[in-house]
Amino acid sequence: MAQCKETAKEFIEDVFSPMVAVLCSAEVETVCQKNGLSFVELIQPFCRLTSEAHIRDPNNVSHPVRNLHIVVHDMNAHLPQNILAKKLLNDVVSNSLPQHSADIMQNNVVTVNNHDLQLDATTPWFEAYRSAFLQIAYPSDHEFLRHYLACIFVVSSSNADPIEQFVKLTHQQSIQQNQQPHKLPKWFMPNILRYYVLVHDVMEQEEAKAETVYQNLKAKYGVLSCHLLHINSRLPASATSGPSDSVNMPNPWSRFIAQKQEMSESAEFESFLRPGDEENDEFPTHVNEGSLQSVSTDVDLALEATEYDSSSSSSQVICHPLGPDSEVLYDPLTSDTDSAVSISSQFTANHAGSKPSADSSGLRCGSRSVPLGVCLTLSDHERLRIFINEFIVKGLISWAEKSIRTLNDQLTTRKGLHRSLFSATKKWFGGSRQTNPAIITNSTNVVYTSDAPEMQMRRLADLAFMFQLYELAYQIYHSAKKDFNNDHAWLHYAGAMEMACLSVFMQDSTNQRQYPLHYMETTITTYLAACKVPHFATRATLLSTEVLKAKGLFAEAAMQFIKMTSEESDLRSALLLEQAAHCFVKMKPPMVRKYAFHMILAGHRFNKSGQKRHALRSYAQALQVYKGRYWSMAEDHINYTIGCQSFNLKQFDVATSALKHLLSANSQQSLPQQTAFLREYLSVFKQLASQAPDDEERELPELPLPIVESNAIKVLCASNAGLIQQDCLGLRIQATGVSFNTTDAENVRFARLEELIVSSISGPPSSSAMSFRPTIQCFTRTSNNTTSPVIAVEEPVTIEVTVINQLKVTLVLRDIRLLWRFTPDECGNAEKAFYSNEQSSNTPKVDKNVILSTPLSEVLLEGSETKQVCISLIIRMMGQLQITGLAYNIGCMSTSGQLLTSAVPDSVSLALGNSSVSAVLPPFSGANSSSLSSPILVSGKVHLEVQGPRLNSTKDERLGKMYGPDKRLNLIITDKMPKLEVFFREFPASLFTGQVCQASVELVNTGHRPLHNVFVATSNPEFLTFSSSPRKPETSEKQADDVGYSSDVIRRHDVTLVTKLDVTSPLDPGSSLVIPMWIRSPDVPGDHVIDFLFYYEPAEAVPHCRHRVLRHTAQLTVHPSLNIRAICGRMVNTGAADQAEDIYRSTNSVFVSLEVENICNVPSAPSLCAVQTLCLSEDWMIKEINSSALKQDVSIGVQECQLFTLKAVKCLHNSDKSSSNALKLSTVSCASDASKTNIPKYISIDFFFRANLGESSKSSRLAPSSFRFVSDLSSANGAESSLAGKLEKSFIFDLNLIIQWQAAKTDGNGATDAIVGQHHLTLNQLHTLITSPLQAKLPIDLPPIRFTSSHLPMLLLEPSSELLSQLVRFSFCYQCEAMHDFSQRRLCIVPVTVHLYNCTSVPVYVDVDTQAGHGRSTVSTSRNQHLQPYNPLFQGHPTRSFTWSGLTVTRIHLLPYCGQSICLKACFVTSGVYDLGTLQVLAFPAGDGDGISIQPTVQRLLSPALMTVHSRS
């Protein structure tokens, strides 16, 4: 925060220091010029009292006088006129700003309210302006602080008659002092101090003569008023060799003497004066109350430093309101310009504290440059110091002490008489004061004579104040202000209150009197409102604020600074607003936002006054507060102004940086405003780029637009594919490969397929899992980028860069290209040279044929649009390639849609709150007439840097922000490699469920080396199969029969997920190979995605790459075709006489009921026809039940069904063919011509095995839910020999069916195409309904999980009710029709034989209950008491009631796979149709049941037993 170099008391003492005039003879100036100085400049560094002196007040009390400083001026010098005063103040402020102020601010960082502010430690420009403002002010008649107290007459001893010269000088001074009207300079009182100094040059004059003259001088003027000063004017011997020999001599004049201004500078400002203005430059000799109105508007303007340019030459010259008469004014046409300039420079040097110039050791001596004080020795310095000390102590202080006593005595006498005579009159007749010395013209205009008591009191108070008698001064000021108030002399009143307030502050801390702040407030208000003298109000403000800051009253000081701002004075307002801002930041607590706001106001006023550097500094300091605080409009205003000021100061780098912030993503500016901002930025950036020499190659500058999302950069190592072509051989689809749109889910799927291929080639997964690394063809932010992409020579690599336009303006990007750095592989070179395509003199250029790239011509980015830019490179040399950046030319579109040129509107208004700041854009952008129609295009770049994933493994990584490597932009260029392209011919886009068609795969080597070991893996292994050789399907079928398939026995072969294609020899570059392929559509309708991964290896080893892969994703739409339902059960007993044959047939044969339904839902759905049924089983073969029924062509229409039944017979095992890999193949034709299907038998069987392979990864569908739970538990607990396991095993068998079908499909052209397909069924449970395709099952609500002991409860091993209801098969043997005469005999008795057969491998007990149908069952059951026939094809019929005779309950014991018959009698009482199935058969396993208590279970009746009883009439 800004601190002044002087304290408040020191500042006030220097402002009101005693002023002394100097009148020298010409010989003295000649002697002094030998040292490069005038006499006033010679004594200037020594004008401060270094020792303590004492002065006595009127009460004869001694008071110390410390650090008394006197102001010495040449009596003939004139104060600068208004124009020169403006120039002086303007230059003082401008020159006081250090050239590297930004570096100074960086060293003064203060943390205030979470803001790290870089504040100015000092404000030397304000101190310089303050001192210059106070020193160039003209003296006023209402105070005596700026009047001369003494005059020093200086004569050289070389003069012919020094005494006579002293007399002439004294007479000259007396004439000037006593002339009427009084003119400048003004004197404190008639009897001033006159001091006589005889200067003797010790090197040229005789000492005796000087001593004689000095003795005569003392005799004439007194000892205390004379002094003999010896000075040296000859160069010492050491100085003759060169100026550098005297550099060790002290130079006290360097900080006081300002550099002489050039003559052209004064001539430049003389042009501001219009002809005839000189005669109007008249000023009053004194200021009275009545004259203030006429000059009130001109006072402050005379002291203001405005911006001087060519437009100011026509402005009217404003005269100084307190200047002298025109006879003694400085006239630019007649006066000595150098003298006036030197006078102003002297004021600047003495009081502004300006920075010494670079040539401060040089001195003006005519036209010669002489070092300052080069002839003076240290003794001369000491003599000068003694001279000033004697003058102040023996002369000035003594004179002041006498004058104070004299004035006090006069005032005591005259003021007392005046008060005694007129006190009563003043009380009763307040308006009549004719005997008063004051001349009253009206109630507000008062003019005092010089010897009036009020003015004598003011003279005494001022004299006491200048000599540090502050208590005496306060008492007199306080008394005088009352008189001035009574007389309504407001100017005198305000001046007395001002000095009274300062007198209180300047007293010692022992004084109990409080600082009267209201005095100063009243003073400033009176100066401004009543007196209309703003320059005195400014002086009072400068003094008062220093006092307030010294007392810590920063809020009050800020208010006083702000109160003095006005539109009349921009420079003064700027400086005061800046000081107010510093006061706000010093408050407790600091008011940071008020600091920033007032710094903006100060910067605006600095800009209006022409102080561009100060305006830039102010806005830069305010930006620290507003930056990043969501004050977007204010921040834009500040940045734009900083850009303007920096551009005007030719600081293009600062302007570019400031304007860059206007192009942020959260900008709330309108579209035209953003367009203007962008145009300005591009114009300034273009000028910044043009500063470098044209013959020097340089790097491209970085641009802020557009934004590049670095982590979204993608590197594609494979060319895009997926093209669909039509040639003479049909539809040709290229493998899709990898693109930038590939998702992470797809990468995971293909990585699994690649791992599957690698593990199948290299060995078990356990040995290859640790070393497997999937091939990455598209490197993104989510891929594993720890390894660099490997690119083969002559193969393209594509880089996708995401660019974001955060503005509303449409951006135009042209000639977009990648920047890279290439390091070739050169053997034997320790230091590898690298090449770069970016312009730089340090990097060699690479041949254009080594790396080929075509720049993008143009890309349009709409407002707030995100777009991906793709650029490809082809590298023709091995090495390492690093992508470093993106280069382009950027422009913007105007609101009309045209490319923006440098021709823009005259101004653009930037809104800020309720006000707007108009920035004139053409001068700022530097547009000229030659470029008004040229488009603004700027060449630049953006760096491409990617950041790896954040590490989170160790504690240090979790606590700190540590990131892993990301090498996606560091490419490795390896040797030439093979490249496989795959084309699919006649690949269908849509199929029916189960449809089988033939296609082909064409392998083409487009690389530069041969390839071999081609493997393919797919996500749906049941979808396709390749022929064993690339021949036609007809030969493949015959070959398949030769290699192991026969009509009777099929060898079970392993079907793997990875298929090695039949590429017998390496595929050379440019050659191709076609391989047939069969496709079977999935069984589930809908859209399917099928992934193919082709794996191949180079025939020759290539570094960095062992194999390559090619992806393909096929989209397939599947429509429903057939829905097949099947169920199998035991053959029903026929009631044959041979019971053994019936038992054998029941045990070794089952019936298979098939229902085929056409469920096609596409338009013009074809009619389907089941052609052939194939059976694959180890133990079973299928046959026709009725061959004539199946040999008919039955066309199944949409929503129609076909029902047919087959018989499965168990085969006798042959020891030679009982291998586990041998499956028996049996075929049943379902049509008249089974050869209509085009599916080869080995292809059909291979699809069956693949279908099971595809289902192996899913949940098992072999067993229904009723049996799966028991089998899983038994196998899981090792209880295969348990009762449940034995029972379940008795009902499981292996029967695999392949139903082939065909249809005729008509296309849009009327052509008919035959389509074929097949469905698969696996029957492994009796009486279980199986569908193809499988129907989705509803989820089963499982009971809550219970945590029990480690062993499984025995209840879980209990057989299911479904299994227990099929332990025994029973059938009836009876007479189907019976004739009976109920009139003869009321009861018809029919014998019925019930055959029972144990279907299990465990003995069972069977209870036959004849009373169950009548509700009188005597057997206790717990399950299936009302079980209906299980076969859904059979339906029960209502029947009339009948009864059984004989035993009601019969229990028999059946051994495993054994049967027994019992005889019953059925009794009927009337004719009708009866169902004998009312008989209830219950069974349960014999033995303890593994400790499980099993209740008898009702057995299912598989077929109705109907009997018809006729009545014989």
Side-chain angles (χ1 to χ4, degrees), residues 468-501:
Q468 303 179 7
L469 298 176
Y470 299 117
E471 179 62 27
L472 176 62
Y474 170 75
Q475 294 177 1
I476 300 174
Y477 283 134
H478 190 270
S479 177
K481 79 174 182 65
K482 296 180 181 180
D483 294 337
F484 293 141
N485 186 24
N486 295 332
D487 296 337
H488 293 182
W490 304 124
L491 182 61
H492 299 77
Y493 170 74
M497 276 204 306
E498 175 187 6
M499 299 309 297
C501 185

Side-chain angles (χ1 to χ4, degrees), residues 822-839:
F822 180 71
T823 305
D825 290 341
E826 298 177 357
C827 299
N829 242 354
E831 297 182 358
K832 297 182 179 180
F834 65 89
Y835 304 93
S836 175
N837 65 339
E838 185 175 1
Q839 296 180 358

Side-chain angles (χ1 to χ4, degrees), residues 1061-1073:
L1061 299 184
D1062 191 6
V1063 182
T1064 56
S1065 60
L1067 195 62
D1068 296 328
S1071 60
S1072 61
L1073 181 65

Side-chain angles (χ1 to χ4, degrees), residues 460-529:
L460 175 59
D462 289 345
L463 188 60
F465 188 91
M466 286 187 287
F467 286 92
Q468 303 179 7
L469 298 176
Y470 299 117
E471 179 62 27
L472 176 62
Y474 170 75
Q475 294 177 1
I476 300 174
Y477 283 134
H478 190 270
S479 177
K481 79 174 182 65
K482 296 180 181 180
D483 294 337
F484 293 141
N485 186 24
N486 295 332
D487 296 337
H488 293 182
W490 304 124
L491 182 61
H492 299 77
Y493 170 74
M497 276 204 306
E498 175 187 6
M499 299 309 297
C501 185
L502 295 178
S503 299
V504 174
F505 173 74
M506 295 299 292
Q507 295 182 37
D508 296 335
S509 58
T510 57
N511 185 18
Q512 300 298 325
R513 189 180 293 111
Q514 292 185 356
Y515 176 73
L517 176 60
H518 61 285
Y519 277 16
M520 195 62 73
E521 294 286 350
T522 305
T523 298
I524 298 174
T525 304
T526 305
Y527 279 144
L528 290 175

Side-chain angles (χ1 to χ4, degrees), residues 800-862:
E800 180 188 86
V801 181
T802 301
V803 293
I804 304 173
N805 180 13
Q806 73 269 30
L807 300 181
K808 303 174 184 177
V809 186
T810 301
L811 299 180
V812 181
L813 304 181
R814 292 183 177 178
D815 299 332
I816 307 174
R817 66 187 186 277
L818 288 174
L819 300 178
W820 42 259
R821 177 175 177 173
F822 180 71
T823 305
D825 290 341
E826 298 177 357
C827 299
N829 242 354
E831 297 182 358
K832 297 182 179 180
F834 65 89
Y835 304 93
S836 175
N837 65 339
E838 185 175 1
Q839 296 180 358
S840 176
S841 58
N842 299 327
T843 57
K845 295 183 178 179
V846 67
D847 188 4
K848 295 182 178 179
N849 296 325
V850 174
I851 299 180
L852 300 181
S853 176
T854 302
L856 295 180
S857 59
E858 184 175 282
V859 173
L860 291 180
L861 278 177
E862 300 292 339

Side-chain angles (χ1 to χ4, degrees), residues 428-695:
W428 297 101
F429 308 99
S432 176
R433 297 185 303 180
Q434 297 179 358
T435 60
N436 196 313
I439 302 174
I440 304 175
T441 59
N442 52 49
S443 60
T444 58
N445 297 331
V446 179
V447 176
Y448 295 99
T449 60
S450 177
D451 58 346
E454 289 82 1
M455 299 307 296
Q456 295 285 36
M457 292 176 63
R458 178 59 193 255
R459 185 178 285 109
L460 175 59
D462 289 345
L463 188 60
F465 188 91
M466 286 187 287
F467 286 92
Q468 303 179 7
L469 298 176
Y470 299 117
E471 179 62 27
L472 176 62
Y474 170 75
Q475 294 177 1
I476 300 174
Y477 283 134
H478 190 270
S479 177
K481 79 174 182 65
K482 296 180 181 180
D483 294 337
F484 293 141
N485 186 24
N486 295 332
D487 296 337
H488 293 182
W490 304 124
L491 182 61
H492 299 77
Y493 170 74
M497 276 204 306
E498 175 187 6
M499 299 309 297
C501 185
L502 295 178
S503 299
V504 174
F505 173 74
M506 295 299 292
Q507 295 182 37
D508 296 335
S509 58
T510 57
N511 185 18
Q512 300 298 325
R513 189 180 293 111
Q514 292 185 356
Y515 176 73
L517 176 60
H518 61 285
Y519 277 16
M520 195 62 73
E521 294 286 350
T522 305
T523 298
I524 298 174
T525 304
T526 305
Y527 279 144
L528 290 175
C531 303
K532 300 297 191 297
V533 282
H535 64 287
F536 284 116
T538 302
R539 186 190 72 176
T541 301
L542 296 176
L543 296 170
S544 175
T545 50
E546 287 298 320
V547 175
L548 294 175
K549 289 190 290 184
K551 290 183 170 294
L553 303 176
F554 296 103
E556 291 77 1
M559 291 302 102
Q560 288 190 4
F561 279 126
I562 298 172
K563 185 178 180 180
M564 281 307 303
T565 59
S566 64
E567 293 297 329
E568 300 175 354
S569 175
D570 289 323
L571 181 60
R572 183 196 66 194
S573 299
L575 292 169
L576 298 184
L577 285 171
E578 181 183 11
Q579 293 302 311
H582 284 287
C583 290
F584 283 122
V585 84
K586 287 184 178 181
M587 293 175 60
K588 301 297 181 182
M591 305 180 73
V592 182
R593 285 187 292 178
K594 281 197 173 184
Y595 161 79
F597 178 72
H598 286 83
M599 287 301 295
I600 293 176
L601 297 179
H604 175 61
R605 301 303 289 270
F606 273 128
N607 184 33
K608 292 180 64 177
S609 65
Q611 298 289 340
K612 305 297 183 183
R613 294 176 61 202
H614 283 284
L616 176 61
R617 175 188 54 80
S618 301
Y619 277 100
Q621 290 185 353
L623 183 61
Q624 300 177 92
V625 178
Y626 288 104
K627 185 176 182 180
R629 301 289 175 176
Y630 305 102
W631 294 68
S632 59
M633 301 297 288
E635 189 174 351
D636 289 347
H637 168 74
I638 297 173
N639 282 311
Y640 185 78
T641 308
I642 291 176
C644 294
Q645 302 300 334
S646 302
F647 181 85
N648 294 331
L649 294 173
K650 306 301 181 183
Q651 300 177 4
F652 298 118
D653 52 345
V654 180
T656 303
S657 177
L659 294 176
K660 175 182 177 181
H661 292 87
L662 299 175
L663 310 177
S664 60
N666 56 355
S667 176
Q668 299 181 7
Q669 300 292 342
S670 61
L671 176 59
Q673 191 67 64
Q674 288 189 357
T675 305
F677 285 162
L678 182 57
R679 184 199 64 82
E680 293 300 336
Y681 174 79
L682 295 178
S683 300
V684 175
F685 192 91
K686 197 170 184 179
Q687 296 201 24
L688 176 64
S690 63
Q691 285 184 332
D694 297 335
D695 56 348

